[in-house]
Amino acid sequence: MNQPRILDGKAVAASVLDECRTETAELKEKGITPGLAVILVGTDPASAVYVGSKARTCADLGFHSVKIERPEEITQEELLEIVADLNADPAVHGILVQSPLPKHIDEETVIRAIDPRKDVDGFHPENVAKLVLEDPTGFVPCTPAGCMRLLEVSGIDTNGAEAVVIGRSMIVGKPLAMLLVAKNSNATVTIAHSRSKDLPAICRRADILIAAVGRPDMVKADWVKPGAVVIDVGVNRIPDASKKSGTRLTGDVDFKEVSPRCSAITPVPGGVGPMTIAMLMKNTIKAARQLG
Amino acid sequence: MNQPRILDGKAVAASVLDECRTETAELKEKGITPGLAVILVGTDPASAVYVGSKARTCADLGFHSVKIERPEEITQEELLEIVADLNADPAVHGILVQSPLPKHIDEETVIRAIDPRKDVDGFHPENVAKLVLEDPTGFVPCTPAGCMRLLEVSGIDTNGAEAVVIGRSMIVGKPLAMLLVAKNSNATVTIAHSRSKDLPAICRRADILIAAVGRPDMVKADWVKPGAVVIDVGVNRIPDASKKSGTRLTGDVDFKEVSPRCSAITPVPGGVGPMTIAMLMKNTIKAARQLG
């Protein structure tokens, strides 16, 4: 049994945030304070936690931070008006609409309304296209960007490596596949998903295996090639009687089973999660720099 | 030695064009004549052949067809003006700028200038994003769309199949991978390329192997799993003393070697090539319908 390297997302995120702190100071000297506005609709407790954490990180870095909370009943027009105001606000460089939105609001319409130059989540079609076209002026969605940064900082070479991404979402799977196959990464990339035949065999090919499906502990030891690098994007809350809350977080990878087989693995929590917020801050600084 | 099914792109393209003919007649009854404008800059002989062939197909279908030829020396501004005029012309539903453009013109700027609703080549970022986002209102680039149609008409099931795409271009490889992995195709997709390690072994996994690299006869028999479906997107002109012209066309697949191993294969010429023009006509009809 091997002792794998634990890819400590918390530590790497902290160093990314240190970078952000320096960059923010430099921008402030030029009279630019990076500004991030987060819109939270309704009372979803998980969303509230995410938004709170983003706001705290902004405060910590010295960003101008705007938190807009609106009740579940807000109309789409009202929400679009808020977005339009933020688009026009020169103190705001990044705009993020916390997902999920209530059902009566069309999320895509709202995302399209955000000025692509302020779309720090990277969900606007303009930024989706830039990612595919390998245009570096775009914004890469924060979770895939965080995975790439974690690989890079950990010295894991993607060149010619076989990467398998499980999951084909717009938020993680597809953009991550595009990043891995791009000319500055050069991985051979397989996108697998719920309809793939013999998923374990497909995963066993991977030098770099990335799970982004949202199924607790789905990836088992025999899905993993010995010595592979495993990146777990899953964040699943499951019952755990031993915890005060009655629940705990777990990833898409059965960490206990898988970790002895691989050369490096991200834990959940403390792996990809912290990277996501750090990359959001990076994106906001990039927006501030580009908007001037 | 097996006798594979030859996927006759010429015949399938002819039936797609028959569909187009019917649809054009229907649109004309509603007072809409599909209109396609093709801009040709310079005197590249291959480009002239393509443009000529597109114009003939338009005429054959009863489209309104505009062919704009300009010398190599045209400025970018002049070209952008032509595009702007065509964007504003209600008789034109599709606009195509024949590639390659002279070096002093930035192709991306020109593509971005085309009204995305008239971008029947599917190269505008708006349509790139729609493809990734699986938004059916967008335009899919003609060659990948032609490959998908050929598979579909030939009754080749992509669901759960292992597809390997060799090539990661914006015109074929990447969009084709996105189409194959989309929810209405459900293939497990691997994108391989020049930097992939052990390309033959990767290709041997494929139930559906698609070569889009531009290297004559690169794919050999031992790259192909027995019984696989092979789609050859390559169009390479190579010397051939036995021909009057001294050259002949060949694909990226060594047809003679590979065909006995596979269950179905596209020839070059007469495979994907004719499908590309047919799908351009389909896209123009779609544009005419959507613009009304």
Side-chain angles (χ1 to χ4, degrees):
Chain A
M1 284 295 165
N2 172 31
Q3 200 65 323
R5 183 151 64 118
I6 305 298
L7 301 177
D8 184 347
K10 226 172 148 180
V12 176
S15 80
V16 172
L17 292 176
D18 280 341
E19 255 176 61
C20 290
R21 211 167 275 117
T22 311
E23 291 176 275
T24 303
E26 283 166 12
L27 280 168
K28 281 186 170 177
E29 271 179 30
K30 293 182 194 157
I32 302 165
T33 301
L36 177 65
V38 180
I39 306 172
L40 174 63
V41 177
T43 55
D44 179 61
S47 294
V49 169
Y50 290 138
V51 168
S53 159
K54 286 162 190 172
R56 264 196 313 282
T57 311
C58 282
D60 174 48
L61 296 180
F63 280 17
H64 169 59
S65 169
V66 182
K67 187 170 150 188
I68 297 172
E69 293 179 273
R70 288 294 181 272
E72 191 88 18
E73 297 73 35
I74 188 173
T75 66
Q76 181 162 310
E77 268 85 75
E78 286 166 332
L79 188 53
L80 291 174
E81 256 174 54
I82 294 171
V83 169
D85 287 347
L86 294 169
N87 283 343
D89 184 344
V92 169
H93 306 103
I95 302 170
L96 185 154
V97 180
Q98 184 65 45
S99 176
L101 289 175
K103 285 201 183 114
H104 66 276
I105 294 176
D106 181 46
E107 195 153 337
E108 214 195 288
T109 304
V110 177
I111 288 169
R112 274 189 173 266
I114 297 171
D115 183 334
R117 297 169 302 168
K118 296 190 175 186
D119 168 44
V120 286
D121 250 347
F123 297 158
H124 191 285
E126 180 86 25
N127 287 312
V128 172
K130 283 187 171 178
L131 192 151
V132 179
L133 301 167
E134 303 182 25
D135 177 338
T137 65
F139 294 101
V140 175
C142 302
T143 300
C147 293
M148 295 305 290
R149 177 61 76 100
L150 198 51
L151 289 171
E152 191 192 320
V153 171
S154 309
I156 293 158
D157 190 10
T158 55
N159 269 279
E162 285 254 8
V164 174
V165 179
I166 326 173
R168 52 180 163 175
S169 76
M170 276 318 308
I171 296 172
V172 185
K174 284 187 185 177
L176 195 47
M178 288 297 118
L179 290 169
L180 285 162
V181 85
K183 291 220 167 58
N184 53 4
S185 299
N186 281 321
T188 300
V189 180
T190 299
I191 312 175
H193 45 80
S194 54
R195 301 300 184 87
S196 292
K197 272 183 215 155
D198 202 353
L199 200 48
I202 293 167
C203 293
R204 268 195 299 274
R205 299 170 188 160
D207 301 314
I208 301 170
L209 178 62
I210 297 158
V213 256
R215 288 209 190 176
D217 302 332
M218 179 180 74
V219 176
K220 300 293 180 188
D222 65 347
W223 292 38
V224 177
K225 175 160 86 175
V229 172
V230 177
I231 306 289
D232 189 350
V233 181
V235 183
N236 311 293
R237 192 162 285 283
I238 59 166
D240 183 341
S242 75
K243 301 279 173 188
K244 250 192 199 167
S245 62
T247 64
R248 68 179 168 90
L249 286 184
T250 188
D252 291 345
V253 177
D254 189 326
F255 186 87
K256 218 172 141 186
E257 257 200 27
V258 166
S259 57
R261 267 180 95 87
C262 52
S263 63
I265 186 168
T266 59
V268 174
V272 174
M275 293 302 296
T276 299
I277 283 201
M279 298 317 285
L280 175 65
M281 300 299 138
K282 267 285 188 198
N283 275 352
T284 304
I285 288 173
K286 182 178 179 179
R289 193 166 278 146
Q290 290 185 3
L291 287 163
Chain B
M1 283 293 162
N2 173 29
Q3 200 65 322
R5 183 149 65 116
I6 306 297
L7 301 177
D8 184 346
K10 225 171 147 181
V12 176
S15 80
V16 172
L17 292 176
D18 280 341
E19 254 176 62
C20 290
R21 214 166 273 117
T22 311
E23 290 176 275
T24 305
E26 282 166 11
L27 280 168
K28 282 187 171 177
E29 271 179 31
K30 291 181 196 157
I32 302 165
T33 300
L36 177 65
V38 180
I39 306 172
L40 175 63
V41 177
T43 55
D44 179 61
S47 293
V49 170
Y50 290 138
V51 167
S53 159
K54 286 164 189 172
R56 265 196 312 283
T57 312
C58 282
D60 174 48
L61 296 180
F63 279 18
H64 169 59
S65 170
V66 182
K67 186 170 151 188
I68 297 172
E69 292 178 274
R70 289 291 180 274
E72 192 88 16
E73 298 73 34
I74 188 173
T75 66
Q76 181 162 308
E77 268 86 75
E78 287 167 331
L79 188 53
L80 291 174
E81 255 174 56
I82 295 172
V83 169
D85 287 346
L86 293 170
N87 283 342
D89 185 344
V92 169
H93 305 103
I95 302 170
L96 185 154
V97 181
Q98 185 65 44
S99 176
L101 289 175
K103 286 203 182 112
H104 66 277
I105 294 176
D106 181 45
E107 194 153 337
E108 213 195 289
T109 303
V110 177
I111 288 170
R112 274 187 173 267
I114 298 172
D115 183 334
R117 297 169 303 169
K118 297 189 176 186
D119 167 44
V120 286
D121 250 347
F123 296 159
H124 190 285
E126 180 86 26
N127 288 311
V128 173
K130 283 187 171 179
L131 192 151
V132 179
L133 301 168
E134 303 183 26
D135 178 337
T137 65
F139 294 102
V140 175
C142 303
T143 300
C147 293
M148 294 305 290
R149 177 60 76 102
L150 198 51
L151 289 171
E152 191 191 320
V153 171
S154 309
I156 292 157
D157 191 10
T158 55
N159 269 280
E162 285 254 8
V164 174
V165 179
I166 326 173
R168 52 181 163 175
S169 76
M170 275 318 308
I171 295 171
V172 185
K174 283 186 186 179
L176 195 47
M178 286 297 119
L179 289 169
L180 285 161
V181 85
K183 291 220 168 59
N184 52 5
S185 300
N186 282 320
T188 300
V189 180
T190 299
I191 313 175
H193 45 82
S194 54
R195 302 299 185 87
S196 291
K197 272 183 214 153
D198 202 353
L199 200 48
I202 293 166
C203 293
R204 268 196 299 275
R205 297 170 190 160
D207 301 313
I208 301 170
L209 178 62
I210 297 158
V213 255
R215 289 208 187 175
D217 302 333
M218 180 180 74
V219 176
K220 300 294 179 189
D222 65 347
W223 293 38
V224 177
K225 176 161 85 176
V229 172
V230 177
I231 307 289
D232 189 350
V233 182
V235 182
N236 311 293
R237 191 163 286 284
I238 58 166
D240 183 339
S242 76
K243 302 278 173 187
K244 252 192 198 164
S245 62
T247 63
R248 67 176 169 91
L249 285 184
T250 188
D252 292 345
V253 177
D254 188 327
F255 186 86
K256 216 172 142 188
E257 255 201 30
V258 166
S259 57
R261 267 179 94 86
C262 53
S263 63
I265 187 167
T266 60
V268 175
V272 174
M275 292 302 297
T276 298
I277 283 202
M279 298 316 285
L280 174 65
M281 300 299 137
K282 265 285 188 199
N283 274 352
T284 305
I285 289 173
K286 182 178 177 177
R289 194 167 277 146
Q290 288 184 167
L291 287 164

